[in-house]
Amino acid sequence: MTRIDGHLLDPRRLPDPRQLSDARQAEAKQRFAAYAALFDTTTFGHIERLGLGPGWRCWEVGAGGTSVISWLAKRVGPTGRVLATDIDTSWQIRTARSPLEVRTHDVAADPPPAEAFDLVHARLVLGEVADQERALKSMLRVLRPGGRLLIEEADPALQPLACPDDHGAAQELANRLRQAVRALLAERGADLTYGRRLPRLLREAGLRQVEADAYFPLASPACAALETATLQQLRPALITAGLATTDDLDHHLSNITAAPLDLATPPLISAWGRKP
């Protein structure tokens, strides 16, 4: 199944980037850059508050781009270790040097790593894996006693609008197309409410000191870049499914370029806890 996080197509679930057209590769790079611009500050803040420091051993699950793993590698230093895994590692392979190791791995299907970790982190990964329960158990199994787990997932059902300030024709069109994308996700089996369940799932898994918060990007240039790249990628599927027309998509993409739209992404829910 194609991996889409929230309403956003995840480039890690596309075919090998070496087999994609230049346009597809550019769209994937735009998405990774937008994820970093939108969410890295939030992610880094959470990890710092969990106590990350020199010598920590970290597993970044479904690493995607390079911004998080590069930051982790600098923070743990030469005495630490960062394991970055994904089903497609071509995006990270050039950054693979000590203390960073890159490994091809499917968290929902493959056995977990043999070593123990001080921190396990996954951002926009578990919402669409084939077996969420198995993936979560795999991540918990490798946490050392006292280790921290941080999971971050979008919740598009919690805030379903592309333009929360729905005051004009351009905004109404944006919201109709966001509804079409959500319908496409539902048809593909996406879980649009996974993010809000994270605190309960972590408590039920036995973690202690479980907390969570939500970050809601609005009116950022990265929101517009992400919207453009996502709709360009989903365009054929939306049209084939009868969920959007060519004219609607062209008009919306033109609106993004021609006039400011206060676009939003689904809230990113971050939940964390400590293994006893």
Side-chain angles (χ1 to χ4, degrees):
M1 180 189 301
T2 300
R3 160 72 161 89
I4 307 177
D5 51 275
H7 73 288
L8 314 173
L9 188 66
D10 189 334
R12 290 168 294 191
R13 301 287 174 173
L14 295 173
D16 188 325
R18 290 167 294 185
Q19 300 174 3
L20 296 176
S21 67
D22 290 342
R24 288 285 185 88
Q25 291 190 47
E27 289 162 6
K29 290 179 180 179
Q30 287 175 336
R31 279 190 292 275
F32 282 140
Y35 295 156
L38 290 168
F39 303 127
D40 276 3
T41 298
T42 295
T43 296
F44 297 164
H46 286 314
I47 295 175
E48 286 182 327
R49 285 187 288 274
L50 291 176
L52 177 73
W56 273 44
R57 302 174 68 83
C58 307
W59 179 20
E60 181 69 16
V61 180
T66 61
S67 63
V68 174
I69 57 178
S70 297
W71 182 85
L72 285 172
K74 290 179 181 178
R75 292 305 178 103
V76 303
T79 61
R81 180 165 182 263
V82 176
L83 174 64
T85 64
D86 208 331
I87 58 173
D88 174 12
T89 59
S90 60
W91 303 95
Q92 307 95 20
I93 198 67
R94 293 180 182 177
T95 65
R97 57 183 179 274
S98 183
L100 174 63
E101 177 189 351
V102 175
R103 188 184 304 172
T104 301
H105 180 268
D106 185 343
V107 69
D110 298 332
E115 56 265 53
F117 296 92
D118 302 291
L119 170 71
V120 177
H121 173 243
R123 186 174 75 188
L124 300 172
V125 173
L126 297 191
E128 279 302 319
V129 298
D131 190 337
Q132 294 170 340
E133 183 176 358
R134 178 173 177 175
L136 182 57
K137 287 181 178 179
S138 180
M139 296 165 69
L140 290 165
R141 190 175 305 152
V142 299
L143 272 180
R144 67 163 182 80
R148 270 68 168 176
L149 175 66
L150 171 63
I151 301 179
E152 300 178 296
E153 280 297 330
D155 194 315
L158 191 62
Q159 194 299 104
L161 301 178
C163 291
D165 183 15
D166 190 1
H167 72 278
Q171 290 75 20
E172 292 171 1
L173 174 58
N175 288 336
R176 288 201 303 274
L177 289 176
R178 181 65 60 85
Q179 183 178 4
V181 170
R182 291 180 66 233
L184 180 65
L185 296 178
E187 181 181 307
R188 293 180 174 183
D191 185 348
L192 303 183
T193 64
Y194 185 70
R196 72 189 68 179
R197 300 202 303 274
L198 284 173
R200 173 172 56 83
L201 293 174
L202 297 193
R203 285 194 302 270
E204 291 176 350
L207 294 186
R208 300 287 191 268
Q209 301 172 352
V210 172
E211 298 182 52
D213 64 16
Y215 172 62
F216 176 31
L218 174 65
S220 164
C223 290
L226 195 52
E227 178 86 349
T228 298
T230 298
L231 286 178
Q232 287 174 339
Q233 182 59 51
L234 290 177
R235 181 187 188 103
L238 289 168
I239 294 172
T240 299
L243 294 169
T245 68
T246 299
D247 287 345
D248 281 345
L249 290 164
D250 287 344
H251 193 184
H252 177 50
L253 292 171
S254 177
N255 286 341
I256 294 174
T257 303
L261 287 178
D262 292 329
L263 292 165
T265 71
L268 181 75
I269 296 180
S270 304
W272 59 93
R274 180 182 62 83
K275 188 173 184 178

